[in-house]
Amino acid sequence: MFIMTNYLLAPSIIASDFAHIADEVAAVESAGADWIHVDVMDGHFVPDITVGPLFVKSLRRVAKLPLDVHLMISEPEKHIDAFAKVGADNITVHVETCPDLPRIIEKIKSLGCTAGVTLNPATPASAIDSALPLVDLVLVMSVVPGFSGQKFMPEMIAKVEEIRAKLNVLRSHAHLEVDGGINAETLPLMKKAGATVFVTGNGAFKHPQGSGAGVRTLKEIASK
Ligand code: DX5
Ligand code: ZN
C-alpha cells in the first residue's frame, strides 16, 4: 500500500483580508503553511464571486509558496491558460463543469501546472473515476462550494475513504486534498480517512490568536 508520509496545510485566502494580502500571506508562510489555496468563484457555477487571474498575478508577486488554484467556475477550459500564465502551480477543476475531464487535465499539465479534479458533496466519487489515473491531486469538498465559513459535512469522510482506496489500488501518488470546514476538530477525521492536504480558510485567517497560531495549531495536528 502506498503510504503517504507528509501532510500539507493550504490556507485559503478567501478568508483573508485582501486589503493586506501581502501581510496575510507572509504570516501564514512564516508560520509553516505549505501551499496558498486560491478559491476562484464566478457567481455562476457557485453563488459567490471572488478573484480572477489579475488578482493571482499580484498574489504571485508576494507569495513564496505554491499557488493551489481551485476553479469554481463554469467553462474552466476558457480560463486555465490565464491562470497558468500568471503563476498558478496547481489548477483544480470541478468534474461538474468539465464534459471532457481527461482532455482538460492534459491541457493543464501541458501548461506546466499540476492538475487536480474536485467534486461537490452531492457528486458521487465514481464521477471522477476516469480522471484518477491522470491527476496529480483529488480535492474532496466537505462543504457546498460557494462561501467560506460553512459547516463541515461529516458524510464526506466516507467519500475520502472511498477515493483513498481507489488511489491506493492505482498505486497513485496523487495528493488527496479536503476543503471546507477544516479545523482542529475535523482535520483529524479527514486525515484518518486518507486525506493528505488540508485547506482551511477560517481555521487559519479567522483564528482567535491570529493566522500564525491557526497555521501552527493545524500543522501540529496534521503531523501527529
Ligand atoms: C468553499 C471554498 C473553501 C472554503 C474554505 O466554497 O472552496 O476553500 O472557503 O474555507 P473554510 O475553511 O472557512 O470553510
Ligand atoms: Zn477551495
Side-chain angles (χ1 to χ4, degrees):
M1 165 148 136
F2 180 72
I3 305 291
M4 302 287 289
T5 51
N6 59 331
Y7 295 96
L8 306 177
L9 192 72
S12 167
I13 49 119
I14 191 173
S16 71
D17 176 359
F18 287 2
H20 300 282
I21 193 65
D23 298 338
E24 294 273 69
V25 165
V28 295
E29 290 188 338
S30 56
D34 297 286
W35 299 348
I36 301 292
H37 186 80
V38 185
D39 284 315
V40 178
M41 300 183 191
D42 63 0
H44 180 258
F45 174 63
V46 293
D48 202 1
I49 296 177
T50 58
V51 296
L54 270 183
F55 177 86
V56 174
K57 187 174 180 186
S58 297
L59 179 64
R60 183 69 285 171
R61 292 200 351 254
V62 297
K64 297 186 187 69
L65 292 175
L67 299 183
D68 171 31
V69 175
H70 173 191
L71 295 182
M72 288 165 273
I73 64 174
S74 301
E75 301 182 298
E77 67 281 1
K78 291 185 176 168
H79 303 280
I80 51 176
D81 291 78
F83 282 101
K85 203 162 148 228
V86 294
D89 293 279
N90 178 70
I91 297 177
T92 297
V93 291
H94 271 266
V95 61
E96 300 88 355
T97 65
C98 301
D100 184 349
L101 198 49
R103 191 179 55 75
I104 196 162
I105 289 165
E106 288 317 315
K107 172 81 191 281
I108 293 171
K109 290 181 170 181
S110 73
L111 294 166
C113 301
T114 55
V117 63
T118 182
L119 62 176
N120 287 344
T123 303
S126 56
I128 62 169
D129 282 348
S130 66
L132 290 187
L134 307 171
V135 290
D136 304 296
L137 178 144
V138 177
L139 170 60
V140 176
M141 294 305 297
S142 35
V143 294
V144 175
F147 296 101
S148 178
Q150 298 176 74
K151 199 170 167 332
F152 175 79
M153 297 171 69
E155 57 274 37
M156 290 301 111
I157 296 171
K159 188 187 273 186
V160 171
E161 288 166 344
E162 185 181 355
I163 293 173
R164 170 49 66 206
K166 290 173 185 251
L167 291 173
N168 284 350
V169 165
L170 291 168
R171 302 184 71 73
S172 165
H173 288 244
H175 288 291
L176 211 182
E177 186 176 35
V178 289
D179 184 357
I182 302 299
N183 57 34
E185 289 70 48
T186 57
L187 192 153
L189 305 175
M190 289 300 230
K191 177 183 172 187
K192 187 162 175 275
T196 57
V197 186
F198 307 94
V199 174
T200 185
N202 283 266
F205 292 107
K206 299 282 190 290
H207 189 279
Q209 275 80 48
S211 55
V215 166
R216 280 188 293 275
T217 304
L218 292 176
K219 278 287 282 184
E220 199 185 314
I221 293 170
S223 56
K224 267 187 194 142

